[in-house]
Structure formats: structure tokens, C-alpha cells
Amino acid sequence: MKNNRLIRDGVLTLAIFLSLISVKAQEASFTVKEAVDYAIKHNLNVKSSQLDAISAEARIGEVRGSGLPQVAANFNLSDNVIIQRVFLPANFADPNASPDAAPVAVQFGVKYSGSASATLNQLIFSGSYFIGLRAAATYRELASKNVTQSKVTVAENVTKAYYSAQVSEERAKVLDLNISRVDSLRAETKKMNESGFVELLDVTRLEVQINNLVTERQKVQNLIELSYTLLKYQMGMSLDEKITLTDKVDDLNIESLRSDFSDYKVNYNSRIEYSVLDTQQKLAGLDLKNIRAGYLPSLSASFGYGHNNGRNTIPDLFGTKWFNNSILAINLNIPIFDGFVKKYQVEQKKVALDKVKLNQKLLEQTIDMQSKQAAINIKNAFATLETQTRNVDLAKEVVRVSKIKYKEGVGSNIEVINAESAYKEAQTNYFSALYDMLIAKVDLSKAKGELYND
């Protein structure tokens, strides 16, 4: 019976192990770059900007199509239910009628009439049309840059969420080690209490510390779940899907990062926001030219050809000959006076152009501020990280020495507990500094326009 139970337990353990492997195999794994690439393809904000770019292409086609030949066909069938009468002098029908005779009511027209025609219109010259073609190409450029801008924003959000989840996981690992270490100390202290070497109060103090660590561990676990939820949201992924982050913050080479970010100079043109404003300035200039082009004459031509007929019965209408007609027209429109409408439109467009230029100068100042702020933040982050790294090492040594003193009877239980608390606080500060350094790294990359490139 015992052997059967052991076999059954072994089979059950194996099944659980295989199921865990299967679940693990189904989880998607992502590096930071892979997470960003996934988000670029699936984030809804990026998709929305891409739809705007598609709409821009349709708008360009609309502008181009307005200069192509416009052809329309028309067919009309009319039933003159009551034919209108025209009043004519009496002598129109009877030359011998008295001049004072009442007018004669005469019907002009037939009961049924029909016509079929086709018209072709062609724009020959229009200043607004040619300006519109240039604006259409610029509009395409703006739509493309807006897509890139949305990708940069998504890359920033995904990278920060990725680092947040990783740092939280590392904190959880450290807390697990702390719980295990303090629990071992509690077990040793309990044995010493049972042997009469220490008081029960020493055991109780360690139990309180373990309870605090467990509570903090639960908070960190909740933070991990929140960080993963935020990351999947930014990636455009289902929140129920399981993912694994393969990049490890422990693998970061701090000295290499320091050398990578030693140059804090920023080129305005490398920032997509600046490039977008540059394109908006081009569009504002073209809008101004388009209004001014309204002062120029426009020239177009049209040609129409058709047939018509009229009879008093439907069979006669379609059974008799239809007569053809044709017209060719050249249309020249010369603006003379529009009540100063275009004058005030030009003033509005000039103001819009000046605003874009001001926004560009404001963005230059903002980029300078952001780059300097990011440079200062990352310097502080590196310095703080170095300090916290040393503090962790020192706190770890204090814990080691205090435990030796306690076991040898020359130290107190409170000294060990305080050392453990200081060690945990140093580790917490270290991960906080590490997270600040990673966020400062992202902010500086964004300020320099190097965070994401198509």
C-alpha cells in the first residue's frame, strides 16, 4: 500500500510538473526591444495614427482627382401632366380678329419629353489646384511623421513599464531571500530559547519582523501584477495573456551605460516633434499661397453632347427620331472684387504661420530644458546607484558580524534585527535607485531623439 501511494504521488507530481512546463511553453517571451516591436504592431494608438495616414492618402487622391477630366451622364423623362398655356394676341391665330379681341390661350409643348446627354469638364488652369498638389505631398509627409511620433510615445511607455516590472520582480526575489534568512534565524533562536540560552521575547521579535517582510512581499507582488498589466496594456496585448521578460536588470553594465550617455548634446532635427512642426510650417506656408492664388484667374473647358425628343404618347416618344445637340464652352473666371474676403483670409493664414514658428522656438527651449534635466537626472541616478550599492555591501557585512556576535553571546537579538532591517532598507533603496537610473536613461534617450527609429 505504501509503495502504491508513493507511485501515485510520483505520477501526480510528474503530471503537475509537465503541466507547468506546458503552460510555461505557451507564455510569450520578450526582450525590451521585442516588447517595443510588438507594441508598434498592436498598440491601438499606433493603429489609429496609421489609419490617419491612410486617410491622408485618400485626401491626396481627392485633390489630384479634381484636376482630372470630370464626366457626367444624364437621362431625363418628363410627363407634362397639365401643359401650361401661353396667352397670345387674338390676331396671332386669326389675322382678321379685332384688336380688342380677348387673348388666345395656346398650349406650347407636348405631354412627354425625354433627353439623354453627357458632359465632360476639364480644368485647364487654377493656381489653387497646383498649390493643392504641393500641399497634398506635404500632408502625406505630416501623416507619416505623426505615425512615427505615436511610435516614439509607445516605445517610451513600453520601455518604462518593462523596467518597472523587472525591478519589482528583483525586489520580490530579494524579499524572498530576506524572509528565508530571517526565518532561519528565527528557527535557530527558537532552539536556543528551548535550551534556555535566550528569551522568548527574542523569538517574538523575529516573528514580528517576518510578518512585516511577508506583508511587504505581498505588496510587491501586487505591484508586479500591476506592472505586468500596464505593460500588456501598452503593448496592445490581451491582459489575460501570460508573458515572460527575458532581459534582466542584473545583466546591465553600469559602466557601459555611463559611457553611452556621456554625451548630452541634442540635435533638434533628431526629435520627431520638431520635425512634425517643421512640416506643419510648410503646410501653413502653402495655405497662405493657396489663398493668394485665389486672386489669379481660372480657366476650364466643357463639352456636352446629347439627344432629345418630345411627343404626346410614350410609344411615339421612343418610336420616333431623337434629335442631337452639342455644346463646347471655354470658361474663364477672373476675380475682380470679393469684398476683401481673401485679404482677411491672408491675414489669418499669416497669423497661423507665425504661431507655428513660435511653437517651434518654444519646442527648441523645451528640448534644451528636457535634455539638461535628463542629463542631471542620469548623473544623479548613477551617483545614487553607486552609493546604494556600497550601502548594500556595508549593510550585508553588518548583518554578518551582528549574527556572529549574537551566536557567540556578545551581541543582542535587537542588534541583529536592526541590522536585518537596515540591510532590507539598503536593498530597497538600491532598487529604487536602479529604477530611477533606468527611467533617466529612457528620458535622456527620448530627449536626444534616439529612443525609437523606424
Side-chain angles (χ1 to χ4, degrees), residues 183-226:
D183 187 60
S184 297
L185 178 61
R186 181 193 61 80
E188 294 176 3
T189 305
K190 186 176 181 180
K191 290 180 180 179
M192 295 173 66
N193 169 255
E194 292 172 351
S195 301
F197 292 103
V198 297
E199 298 180 359
L200 180 61
L201 183 61
D202 294 335
V203 180
T204 304
R205 288 195 184 104
L206 290 172
E207 289 178 348
V208 170
Q209 188 174 16
I210 290 174
N211 292 336
N212 291 335
L213 287 172
V214 170
T215 301
E216 185 174 353
R217 176 63 175 84
Q218 183 58 49
K219 291 180 180 179
V220 172
Q221 183 60 41
N222 295 338
L223 180 60
I224 291 173
E225 294 176 4
L226 179 61

Side-chain angles (χ1 to χ4, degrees), residues 19 28 73 98 115 131 153 167 170 237-238 289 313 333 343 365 380 419 426:
S19 65
S98 170
S115 66
I131 297 296
T153 302
V167 171
E170 293 301 319
M237 177 183 289
S238 171
K289 290 182 179 180
T313 63
N333 180 35
K343 173 182 179 296
Q365 296 176 0
N380 291 339

Side-chain angles (χ1 to χ4, degrees), residues 370-402:
Q370 288 177 345
S371 61
K372 290 182 180 180
Q373 184 179 13
I376 292 173
N377 288 342
I378 200 165
K379 285 180 180 178
N380 291 339
F382 279 126
T384 303
L385 187 62
E386 287 181 354
T387 301
Q388 296 304 329
T389 301
R390 290 195 298 270
N391 286 343
V392 169
D393 293 337
L394 292 173
K396 185 177 181 180
E397 178 64 16
V398 171
V399 169
R400 187 186 70 81
V401 173
S402 62

Side-chain angles (χ1 to χ4, degrees), residues 275-298:
S275 183
V276 167
L277 278 179
D278 188 53
T279 304
Q280 288 179 346
Q281 183 176 341
K282 292 179 185 178
L283 279 175
L286 289 171
D287 281 344
L288 180 59
K289 290 182 179 180
N290 185 46
I291 299 299
R292 287 173 173 168
Y295 289 109
L296 300 175
S298 61

